[in-house]
Amino acid sequence: MRSDARPVAGLRVVVLGGTGFVGRHVVEGFAALGASVLPVSRTGGHAGARVRPPLRLDLLAATPGRIAGMLGEAGADVVVNAAGQVWRSDEEQMAAGNAALVERLLTALASMPGDPPRLVQLGTVHEYGAGAPDAGTGEDHPPAPVTAYGRTKLLGTRAVLGAVQERGVDAVVLRLANVIGSGVPEGSLFGRVAAHLGAAAHAVRRGGRAAELRLPPLRAARDLVDARDAAAAVLAAATAPGAAVTGRVVNVGRGEAVPMRGLIDRMVALSGIRVPVVEEPLSPSSRTDVAWQRLEIARAGRLLGWRPRRDLDDSLRDLLAPVLPPDRPPLGGTVHAPHPEEESP
C-alpha cells in the first residue's frame, strides 16, 4: 500500500456481493484493519465473524435511487463491486449481472450529493482474451474477449471508465487474474477439483476407493492470484490518492503463466489421496477460452504499492482445508511457476 494512502481504519465501506467468494475476502480484509463494513447480498449469507450481518438487496431489482439511498444511509466512503455472474450462468444472465448492474450503480453514484464514495470495480483478465506468449498483457492491450463472461465484464469496465469521464464518478477498475483460495465456488475448475478430492478423501477414510477425476483438457496456462492478495489490492485501490487511480484500469495477478495440469496435479499431491486424473477431449465448438494468459502487473506496484505476497501452495492449502478430513494434513513443497520464456502457447 502506498505511503500517502489514507488509513483504512474508520472508513465506511459497502461491499456489493459481500457474501460471495471474492467479496468475503474483501470484507474480511477491510474489517481486519478497522473499517466499518456493510456487506450487501441478494440472498443474504455469511460474510465473516467481524462484520455486521449482510444487507439483503437485489441490485438488479432496486432502482438507482434506492441504491443511492442505501449508500447514503451507510455513509459510504468506498463501494466495492464484487457482485456479478460467472459460474453456471448464460450470457443473458451475465449481461444483467456484469453490465446492467454496473450501469445502475453508476447512475446511483452520479446522483449522490457532495463527494460520492469511490467505486472499486472488480474486472477480470478474461476481458483481454488471448495474451501474447512472449510478453505480459498490460492494461493498454486492446481487449478481445472470447467468452460471454469476458464480454459482459468488459461492458462493465467501459461503463465505469465512461462514467468517470462524463459524470465525474470517482472509480478505478481492477482486472483480476483467476482468483484462488478458500471458498472458491464448485462451479470453477479449482472448486470442482477440491470437491472431488474431498469426497475421495472421505471415501478412502471409510475403506472405499477414490474415483478418478475426469476433467476437460488441461493444456492452458493461466495467471492466478490468491484471494487475500486480491483483497489487499482492493484496499490499496480504495485508499490511494484519487489523482493516482481515478479512471485507471489496474491489473492484479502474479505476473506468471502457470500450467493448469501441473497445478491440478499439485492439488492432488497436497490432498494426500491417490486420484487418477483423466483429461477428456472436447469438441472444437466447446473450445471457447484462450490457451495462455499472463498479466503485466507493474502498474499495480507503481500506483498502489501492491504486489502478490502468497505462494500458490498457500492458496491451494486454503482451498483444500475445508474439504479434507481434519486428520489428513496437506503435504509440503512448492509449485513451480515457469518463466514465460519456458512456456509455449
Side-chain angles (χ1 to χ4, degrees), residues 59-70:
L59 295 165
L60 283 172
T63 65
R66 171 71 181 93
I67 296 171
M70 178 269 294

Side-chain angles (χ1 to χ4, degrees), residues 98-100 102-103 106 121 127 151-161 173:
N98 301 334
V102 177
E103 292 274 12
L106 292 167
Q121 166 72 14
E127 296 174 42
R151 289 190 293 270
T152 56
K153 289 293 286 186
L154 180 60
L155 291 174
T157 290
R158 287 175 169 165
V160 170
L161 300 180
V173 178

Side-chain angles (χ1 to χ4, degrees), residues 16-17 40-44 55-64 66-67 70 83-85 96-97 100-101 104-105:
L16 310 179
V40 177
S41 169
R42 180 175 61 86
T43 58
L55 172 68
R56 295 187 64 172
L57 178 65
D58 186 343
L59 295 165
L60 283 172
T63 65
R66 171 71 181 93
I67 296 171
M70 178 269 294
Q85 293 284 341
L101 184 154
R104 193 167 299 208
L105 173 60

Side-chain angles (χ1 to χ4, degrees), residues 242-334:
V245 299
T246 299
R248 306 300 294 269
V249 174
V250 182
N251 288 341
V252 174
R254 290 180 56 82
E256 299 173 336
V258 179
M260 289 297 96
R261 178 62 197 239
L263 198 67
I264 298 307
D265 288 343
R266 184 60 182 156
M267 287 183 68
V268 174
L270 286 170
S271 75
I273 303 295
R274 294 181 180 272
V275 175
V277 179
V278 178
E279 297 183 44
E280 298 182 311
L282 290 179
S283 65
S285 62
S286 300
R287 296 183 183 130
T288 58
D289 210 344
V290 299
W292 199 94
Q293 288 173 327
R294 177 170 73 87
L295 289 176
E296 171 56 59
I297 58 173
R299 181 178 290 182
R302 188 170 65 252
L303 300 185
L304 306 180
W306 176 92
R307 63 181 178 85
R309 298 182 180 276
R310 293 168 176 87
D311 67 35
L312 292 176
D313 265 17
D314 286 342
S315 304
L316 296 181
R317 288 191 183 97
D318 286 348
L319 197 163
L320 289 168
V323 301
L324 293 178
D327 59 350
R328 181 177 291 278
L331 304 179
T334 58

